[in-house]
Amino acid sequence: MKIGILGGGQLGRMLIQEALKYDDEFYTLDPSSDCPCAGISHFTKGDFNDYQAVMDFGKDKDVLTIEIEHVNVQALEDLQKQGIKIIPSPSAVKIIQQKILQKEFYQKNEIPSPDFQVVRDKSEVNFPLPFVQKLNTGGYDGKGVQVIRNEKELENLWDAPSVLEALVDIEKELSVIVAKNDKGEVKVFPVTEMVANPRLNLLDFNICPSEISDEIQTQIDEIVRKFIQAMASSGLFAIELFLDKNGKVWVNETAPRLHNSGHLTQEGNSNSQFEQMYRVVKNLPLADTDADKYSGMFNLVGEDGYQGKAYYEGLEEVLKLPKTYVHLYGKTETKPGRKMGHINILADNRKELLEKLTTIKSMILSLIHISEPTR
Ligand code: ADP
């Protein structure tokens, strides 16, 4: 089968890596000819936001999917009309692309998500402080999101269509990945817990299973059930959640694709999110998602102050460590904060996992330099 992916980043790369054990041909579309998928797929250089580029790329594929949601939806809709199978559905991508539509979707379907106001520009702002401003389009990895805490900070408001959202008093950030195939089969991965890096806003580390009560798990199960029913699309979705200090779970946002918070499934679960995505795309029976042990993950991000050729100093020391798995994305260029790879770690219990994560993370900070060679 000819499987096309819009986007050639690390998510697509790890999907292809997993799926190469089966018999399919992978095609990718990305503006950068040295993107992580270029060397391991039939690669087309082009812009996945451009209508014609997506039409030309998609027209001879059996199925087309995405590894980034900022793609040309009109082209997806038209390709679907021509009989090309699109996963997830173009309408799901459209809802999720725009923060305003996404928030309205949660509201309409009674999926708990923080209170909000929609504004076209800053003259319309009329929402109790403190709040979070989220640009309707163009946000990514914490960009396009800012907290407005007081009257003084109102000066910083962006003058663009956005959502103003109540600031949640966060106890924990959680994530749950759910997959649905065309047969209507649904499988959910165990909930993971995240700790954000306040400086870069990229995930700092991510652990599984999360430490949550049965009551909180029930709230999450209900969110997943409503989400899947309302979205009415095959696909793999990552629902990012906030658990507030009063024990209530809120949806922050959803990605209609593979997700950073699912990387630890590579070694942590019976099957990874990548295996599951492949099965969704092919409408195969969905894989079991159990976690045998405790797993944790952190991103390897480009160092501050360096831009240029990537160089991983000290990688061999890390490879000596037991139950520690290095994944690099084949990005030749590093720049501050760029996701260059990740490390998964397994442990027998939560305490051991947290200790290992803390130790290895600090070791890695001093061992691995993702920068230009210093000598
Ligand atoms: P992105 O799409 O760029 O990942 P998010 O909407 O996930 O942006 O926001 C980035 C981070 O900002 C979240 O992980 C969370 O820490 C914080 N944040 C976002 N919305 C809220 C909110 N309503 N209340 C408190 N913190 C928030």
Side-chain angles (χ1 to χ4, degrees), residues 191-243:
V191 175
T192 70
E193 197 175 314
M194 293 173 258
V195 181
N197 178 332
R199 193 171 51 87
L200 280 171
N201 242 337
L202 295 176
L203 293 188
D204 199 1
F205 64 76
N206 192 39
I207 63 174
C208 183
S210 60
E211 197 166 53
I212 51 172
S213 67
D214 290 349
E215 194 278 321
I216 290 164
Q217 181 67 53
T218 305
Q219 289 184 54
I220 297 173
D221 293 344
E222 186 58 9
I223 287 171
V224 170
R225 190 189 63 75
K226 285 184 178 172
F227 178 88
I228 277 293
Q229 190 175 8
M231 201 46 97
S233 165
S234 299
L236 181 139
F237 299 89
I239 309 176
E240 296 180 27
L241 305 161
F242 297 135
L243 170 63

Side-chain angles (χ1 to χ4, degrees), residues 177-181 185-189 276 285-289:
I177 293 179
V178 53
K180 184 179 144 183
N181 64 13
E185 211 185 334
V186 176
K187 284 261 164 88
V188 186
F189 280 93
Q276 196 70 301
L286 295 185
D288 58 323
T289 55

Side-chain angles (χ1 to χ4, degrees), residues 69-70 99 102-103 113-115 131-134 138-147 149 164-170 173 194 196 201-203 240-242 250-254 257 259:
E69 57 272 34
H70 303 290
K99 279 262 152 74
Q102 205 185 128
K103 290 292 288 184
S113 175
D115 282 348
F131 61 77
V132 184
Q133 181 179 27
K134 299 183 173 184
Y140 205 66
D141 278 345
K143 294 180 205 100
V145 175
Q146 66 168 335
V147 181
R149 293 188 184 275
L164 311 179
E165 190 178 86
L167 188 72
V168 175
D169 199 3
I170 300 174
E173 295 201 32
M194 293 173 258
N201 242 337
L202 295 176
L203 293 188
E240 296 180 27
L241 305 161
F242 297 135
W250 305 91
V251 173
N252 170 24
E253 60 171 1
T254 304
R257 53 161 169 81
H259 195 255

Side-chain angles (χ1 to χ4, degrees), residues 6-29:
L6 299 183
Q10 64 265 18
L11 299 172
R13 178 182 170 97
M14 290 184 275
L15 168 62
I16 296 169
Q17 279 173 340
E18 188 68 65
L20 280 177
K21 67 189 179 209
Y22 299 113
D23 289 329
D24 296 277
E25 280 185 86
F26 282 90
Y27 295 77
T28 53
L29 177 72

Side-chain angles (χ1 to χ4, degrees), residues 328-349:
L328 300 180
Y329 304 154
K331 295 181 183 176
T332 46
E333 283 264 309
T334 174
K335 54 185 174 195
R338 187 172 195 205
K339 287 178 187 156
M340 303 297 289
H342 69 268
I343 295 187
N344 289 334
I345 295 165
L346 298 185
D348 291 325
N349 56 58

